[in-house]
Amino acid sequence: MAVDSPDKVIDRSAKLAFSFFLSSAGLWLLMAALLAYLAAAKLTDPFFLSSFEFLTYGKVKVAQANAFVYGWGGNAIFAVSLWILARLSQAEVRGSVFLIFAGVIWNLAITFGLLGIMDGHMSGHEMLEMPTEVWPAMLISYLIITFLALVIHRSRQVRETIAPQWFILAALLWFPALFLIAWNGLEINPARGTLQTVLSMWYGQSLVWLWLTPVALGAAYYLIPAILGRTIDKYYLAIFGFWCIAALAPWSVVHHLEGGPVPMWIPAVGTVMSIAMVFPIAVASTNFHSTAFMDIGKVWDSLPLRFVIFGTLSYTVSSYIGVVFSLPAVAKITQFTIINEFHFNQRVYGFFSMIIFGAVYFALPRITGREIPKAAKSFHFWTSTLGVLMLLLAYLIGGLTHGVLAGQPTLPWASSVIQSIQPYFLITKFAFIILAFSQFVFVVNVWRVIFPNPFAFFAEDKKEASV
Amino acid sequence: MNNLAKFTIGIFFTLGIAWLAFVVGARSQFGDLVPTSEVLDDDGSVPEDAELFPIAFSGIAKQGAEEYAALGCVTCHTQQVRRVEAGFDVERGWGKRPSAPRDYVLQKHVLLGNSRIGPDLANVGLREYSDEWLHQHLFEPQSIFPSSLCPPSPFLYQQIDEPVNTDIEIASNNDPQDNRHVRPTVRANRLVAYLQALKQDYELPEVSFVETEDEPVEEDVVSTDVSVASSSAPQWLQEQIDTGKEIYMKAAPGGGMCFTCHQQNGEGLAGQFPPLAGSDWVLGNKERLIKISMYGLMGEIEVNGVKYNNVMAPPGIPPGSLTDDQIANVLTYIRNDWGNSASAVSAEEVATVRASLKGRAPMQMFTAAELTTPVQ
């Protein structure tokens, strides 16, 4: 028997945890897709399922965001971070039992959290709408997983760390800090008045900027050189980009409060920092794209990399658009419009999810030893691209329409402003159908590789049981 | 970067600075705001016996806030009027002034929101909506605004086949025969109490009312027969009422001389002139009122179950000379004095009715029978 290469040993050690987190992430992705469709359908026809209280628009919309960020995002972050950290540390994943135990708690907490939302126990804090009862379970399970990820990192063979490790470790560590700050400020020592809003907005937006974003950036920093077989161009800039995000992002997220009932310095400093964000965006964009465009043919041929580059391009574009929309003169029009949906979906679908898809397609064959058919991946790529572009264009154009019409005080609200953007909701409904279809293909791809023969699996169980 | 401990300290340091600013700093800056009076004394202290604002919600309104949060209304509705230079909110009539941090200090759930698929609700209690109107809107927003995207909440209501007075009638857009009756559950009542309590109708030392010239827009409402509880009417409505009262009382060109028959107290004269106070005609359909104000009325008319038979010349000096604006104002006035409380009449509505009567001979008075026969 030939000795396995170290990578193979590592991949094998990661298999159980990776498969568990990825398959649960897939289920949450489908759940979020279903909820997204319901929410979009309710905006095109308010009477759709309107007699069910637990499916009223406000609840479905919030449940969708939570299922997406914590369910799909959380599980995907665990899967991808553990594997990339293990690979870069050249250390095996240990304590899989604890990882899966914590993962089960995490998933149960989110399940109960979503049920709580639908049952009418929504808290009203942005991205912390799940009832407070499930927060301890989320935090504890998260800390167990993070601890085991840090154990992998601590047992690394090479002392030197590189960009993917910084981004992923920072994201893993930032989340519990944000969570505790928000928990303290909203529930334990609840702030009064609009301080609550400042804090919950800061938390909700930071979740995207300091948790989802760095993991996706880290994955891109790992995958692009790994697949292309060349080093990152102008890599010396990466450290600057990293610390810029660490220092600026927590400040920039509050510009959404422009003009609101908070002290004026809060949105003002948010706007200034948002503008300063052009530096880290430019760094990441240069690193990724000048490397990728040296060998663009190879990028196109490798489906994982195609996903990743779609994600990094989306990151660049969306972040620059975000900078423009944070300017007070523009925010006057776009604030409170469905442009917010554009930002959110651009980040979580167009950027984060696309990079995660790429990472999964790269990692899964190595971990399981089974290849995913190219046609299936390609189909997933094109349907995702179509769905995402449709969705984002609809929200962008619809959002601008929304803002411009709302800014004309003589236009009646429902019969003029909202009616004018209704066609865009119809487009988003179709986009969510396409995306749901696309994500279904992704989950089937993943599950077929993880459980190539589910019936044999059960048959084995039976055999064992009968023995 | 290679030492995990130093790295961790570094990333928590950057996060910590922002935390210091937004959490610790903001808290020390405006975390201890308390209610205060509209105007402070010269030395900056609260005058004795002054009323303090904001006032706390009543118990039922607080429960309504829980319902509002639980139903996710904040997904589509903000509760913040932006500063004038940052948005159109005041112009749109969503508030008399920008919201201030102090407005929210007594609220448990501060639901500022960040999306406006629905209108801002910071001052929904200031708009001239009756409880019935809000119930009808909650039950089925589309029965009022056909193009609304607001989700109906039938689960907050009981459908009633044999209604009593307190039940809410949901007018059908197409056929009055299809009108439904619903009875609000206690949850619906809480929500309505909460919505009615949402108002920033006081000034604070740090923010005063914004002067606006334009009247805010009125939505194209299908059901116009909406009664109002206008203990504190918005400014534009108050202006209309005040001008209308002048016309009502004036016996000179530009006036309506209405008081000579209907009396200053709106009670009319028993057996001769019908009352306006509490009158089903005054509080009801606006179109009939507008027609009477243009052409006058003759013959038998039944008001609140009592029959009158007299002649009302077209109001105005000379008769029939009131302009659209004047009619709108005087009708708004009679719908909102002596305990009456109904939606305002706009000059546009009067103009529409006038256009529909084009060709009718001047001074050709209406009869009650003509007005009550439905015309398509």
Side-chain angles (χ1 to χ4, degrees):
Chain A
M1 200 172 111
V3 180
D4 284 340
S5 72
D7 273 354
K8 274 231 170 93
V9 176
I10 292 163
D11 289 348
R12 204 181 306 125
S13 76
K15 184 175 174 184
L16 196 57
F18 187 87
S19 306
F20 172 79
F21 286 124
L22 189 58
S23 23
S24 15
L27 293 183
W28 281 117
L29 188 61
L30 293 184
M31 171 55 88
L34 175 69
L35 292 169
Y37 166 74
L38 285 180
K42 279 167 165 288
L43 274 190
T44 48
D45 174 15
F47 288 96
F48 178 63
L49 299 178
S50 67
S51 51
F52 299 102
E53 180 176 2
F54 70 100
L55 288 180
T56 198
Y57 176 79
K59 293 180 176 180
V60 171
K61 181 82 188 160
V62 165
Q64 188 258 340
N66 279 276
F68 200 95
V69 169
Y70 295 108
W72 154 246
N75 281 296
I77 284 176
F78 300 145
V80 169
S81 307
L82 286 171
W83 181 70
I84 291 182
L85 285 179
R87 272 292 191 102
L88 288 175
S89 307
Q90 288 293 301
E92 289 180 36
V93 174
R94 277 178 284 174
S96 288
V97 179
F98 295 105
L99 284 172
I100 289 176
F101 170 71
V104 169
I105 297 182
W106 175 263
N107 286 323
L108 280 178
I110 299 167
T111 310
F112 281 111
L114 295 195
L115 289 176
I117 289 175
M118 298 198 151
D119 192 37
H121 301 281
M122 202 191 304
S123 76
H125 309 306
E126 191 174 339
M127 287 320 295
L128 271 177
E129 289 96 346
M130 291 193 272
T132 45
E133 285 82 355
V134 306
W135 295 6
M138 284 175 68
L139 185 66
I140 291 168
S141 56
Y142 184 92
L143 288 176
I144 295 174
I145 295 166
T146 303
F147 174 76
L148 289 164
L150 292 180
V151 168
I152 300 172
H153 182 70
R154 290 282 288 182
S155 52
R156 64 188 183 276
Q157 306 287 320
V158 190
R159 211 183 109 74
E160 297 297 311
T161 54
I162 56 171
Q165 288 163 313
W166 311 331
F167 280 102
I168 289 173
L169 286 172
L172 288 178
L173 291 169
W174 272 327
F175 175 79
L178 289 170
F179 196 82
L180 276 174
I181 292 173
W183 191 352
N184 178 50
L186 295 173
E187 291 295 331
I188 300 174
N189 289 308
R192 291 170 63 215
T194 53
L195 270 175
Q196 262 185 35
T197 316
V198 175
L199 183 54
S200 70
M201 162 160 296
W202 184 68
Y203 170 81
Q205 298 289 323
S206 294
L207 203 60
V208 175
W209 264 108
L210 296 180
W211 195 43
L212 301 181
T213 299
V215 170
L217 290 178
Y221 268 114
Y222 175 71
L223 292 169
I224 292 171
I227 299 175
L228 285 181
R230 44 171 85 235
T231 51
I232 290 276
D233 190 38
K234 303 189 182 61
Y235 175 72
Y236 55 89
L237 287 174
I239 191 166
F240 172 69
F242 172 79
W243 286 110
C244 272
I245 289 184
L248 301 177
W251 291 85
S252 69
V253 294
V254 291
H255 68 253
H256 295 273
L257 288 165
E258 182 69 34
V262 294
M264 279 165 85
W265 64 266
I266 291 181
V269 76
T271 304
V272 172
M273 294 301 184
S274 294
I275 296 168
M277 285 296 281
V278 295
F279 296 113
I281 300 163
V283 167
S285 176
T286 309
N287 278 166
F288 298 146
H289 301 134
S290 77
T291 312
F293 279 81
M294 285 177 187
D295 207 346
I296 192 70
K298 206 164 172 182
V299 172
W300 192 250
D301 289 339
S302 155
L303 263 163
L305 200 51
R306 218 193 286 170
F307 272 106
V308 171
I309 296 300
F310 184 100
T312 56
L313 282 172
S314 179
Y315 169 75
T316 312
V317 174
S318 68
S319 304
Y320 282 134
I321 292 180
V323 171
V324 174
F325 284 168
S326 72
L327 301 173
V330 187
K332 192 173 174 176
I333 301 168
T334 58
Q335 197 183 14
F336 304 140
T337 66
I338 53 173
I339 293 256
N340 292 340
E341 296 291 322
F342 166 82
H343 285 306
F344 182 76
N345 287 292
Q346 171 83 297
R347 284 222 155 247
V348 302
Y349 274 103
F351 164 56
F352 174 80
S353 300
M354 290 303 253
I355 289 185
I356 296 293
F357 292 148
V360 167
Y361 283 144
F362 180 72
L364 207 50
R366 286 167 177 74
I367 290 174
T368 60
R370 282 181 286 268
E371 194 51 62
I372 300 165
K374 179 145 185 161
K377 286 190 282 190
S378 183
F379 183 80
H380 176 212
F381 178 78
W382 288 113
T383 43
S384 294
T385 307
L386 178 68
V388 165
L389 291 182
M390 242 173 98
L391 188 66
L392 296 182
L393 277 177
Y395 278 137
L396 182 64
I397 301 172
L400 289 172
T401 315
H402 189 180
V404 168
L405 294 182
Q408 297 172 27
T410 47
L411 289 180
W413 191 260
S415 55
S416 184
V417 177
I418 295 306
Q419 198 160 32
S420 308
I421 56 170
Q422 233 174 335
Y424 300 101
F425 289 130
L426 193 63
I427 301 177
T428 63
K429 183 169 101 175
F430 288 120
F432 277 120
I433 294 176
I434 295 174
L435 281 173
F437 194 56
S438 155
Q439 286 155 3
F440 182 72
V441 172
F442 168 74
V443 174
V444 168
N445 286 348
V446 167
W447 278 63
R448 270 176 56 192
V449 172
I450 296 178
F451 307 105
N453 199 343
F455 299 106
F457 183 74
F458 286 119
E460 265 173 46
D461 264 8
K462 250 188 218 158
K463 228 192 298 173
E464 274 173 35
S466 62
V467 169
Chain B
M1 299 296 274
N2 298 330
N3 182 317
L4 186 60
K6 283 183 192 160
F7 176 78
T8 310
I9 291 170
I11 61 168
F12 283 161
F13 176 72
T14 56
L15 187 69
I17 300 179
W19 171 75
L20 273 179
F22 294 132
V23 182
V24 182
R27 202 163 184 153
S28 70
Q29 187 191 5
F30 72 115
D32 55 354
L33 288 175
V34 289
T36 185
S37 56
E38 294 194 281
V39 187
L40 295 179
D41 278 343
D42 292 339
D43 59 355
S45 62
V46 177
E48 273 179 51
D49 302 331
E51 206 180 341
L52 297 187
F53 295 102
I55 40 178
F57 288 147
S58 63
I60 186 169
K62 280 183 189 163
Q63 291 175 316
E66 306 280 342
E67 300 288 347
Y68 184 96
L71 286 169
C73 305
V74 69
T75 324
C76 296
H77 292 284
T78 55
Q79 284 185 22
Q80 48 175 323
V81 179
R82 286 178 290 175
R83 286 196 314 278
V84 177
E85 66 274 17
F88 50 81
D89 305 5
V90 174
E91 266 178 282
R92 211 170 235 296
W94 282 345
K96 299 165 145 188
R97 60 166 174 84
S99 305
R102 200 189 298 273
D103 292 325
Y104 302 87
V105 288
L106 298 181
Q107 301 183 11
K108 184 180 159 215
H109 294 282
V110 181
L111 298 159
L112 291 190
N114 61 10
S115 170
R116 280 180 182 165
I117 296 179
D120 187 81
L121 297 183
N123 287 292
V124 65
L126 280 185
R127 294 169 208 160
E128 76 274 34
Y129 300 142
S130 63
D131 289 356
E132 290 78 45
W133 191 94
L134 287 170
H135 278 303
Q136 186 180 347
H137 191 284
L138 287 174
F139 176 78
E140 191 178 306
Q142 290 71 21
S143 69
I144 299 177
F145 304 118
S147 53
S148 170
L149 296 183
C150 188
S153 304
F155 42 82
L156 296 177
Y157 294 86
Q158 249 181 306
Q159 291 241 25
I160 299 292
D161 292 331
E162 288 167 8
V164 297
N165 281 346
T166 51
D167 292 333
I168 313 291
E169 184 172 5
I170 307 297
S172 157
N173 294 345
N174 308 316
D175 185 358
Q177 295 293 316
D178 292 346
N179 285 6
R180 288 156 294 168
H181 289 84
V182 295
R183 187 169 297 164
T185 61
V186 64
R187 295 176 57 203
N189 283 326
R190 288 173 186 162
L191 255 178
V192 165
Y194 172 65
L195 293 173
Q196 294 287 26
L198 287 176
K199 48 187 162 193
Q200 298 165 354
D201 56 347
Y202 44 87
E203 295 189 314
L204 289 171
E206 61 268 31
V207 51
S208 38
F209 293 144
V210 178
E211 300 287 331
T212 47
E213 290 145 28
D214 306 330
E215 280 185 13
V217 255
E218 266 201 77
E219 280 279 1
D220 305 341
V221 180
V222 170
S223 144
T224 48
D225 295 348
V226 169
S227 55
V228 283
S230 65
S231 52
S232 53
Q235 198 181 345
W236 61 269
L237 179 60
Q238 198 55 50
E239 277 170 15
Q240 251 196 313
I241 293 173
D242 293 346
T243 335
K245 184 168 185 176
E246 276 173 35
I247 300 168
Y248 186 89
M249 302 299 294
K250 195 169 171 184
M257 242 178 17
C258 319
F259 76 100
T260 48
C261 299
H262 295 292
Q263 305 302 312
Q264 206 167 336
N265 59 9
E267 297 294 341
L269 277 182
Q272 293 191 50
F273 309 116
L276 302 180
S279 153
D280 48 357
W281 280 74
V282 172
L283 293 170
N285 185 310
K286 293 185 196 174
E287 192 181 330
R288 299 187 310 204
L289 280 179
I290 297 171
K291 285 179 174 168
I292 297 172
S293 314
M294 280 177 195
Y295 287 91
L297 184 80
M298 56 185 285
E300 193 175 78
I301 179 171
E302 191 178 313
V303 178
N304 293 349
V306 182
K307 287 200 167 97
Y308 297 84
N309 197 337
N310 215 324
V311 174
M312 169 181 168
I317 299 170
S321 64
L322 291 182
T323 64
D324 291 355
D325 260 335
Q326 287 169 327
I327 291 177
N329 291 340
V330 77
L331 289 181
T332 304
Y333 167 66
I334 63 169
R335 283 160 72 86
N336 289 287
D337 197 3
W338 320 301
N340 282 359
S341 173
S343 60
V345 177
S346 71
E348 288 75 37
E349 284 171 299
V350 181
T352 316
V353 175
R354 199 185 285 282
S356 75
L357 293 173
K358 209 172 163 189
R360 189 182 176 96
M363 311 293 280
Q364 188 193 338
M365 292 180 214
F366 277 97
T367 60
E370 195 182 347
L371 290 169
T372 41
T373 321
V375 186
Q376 280 303 312

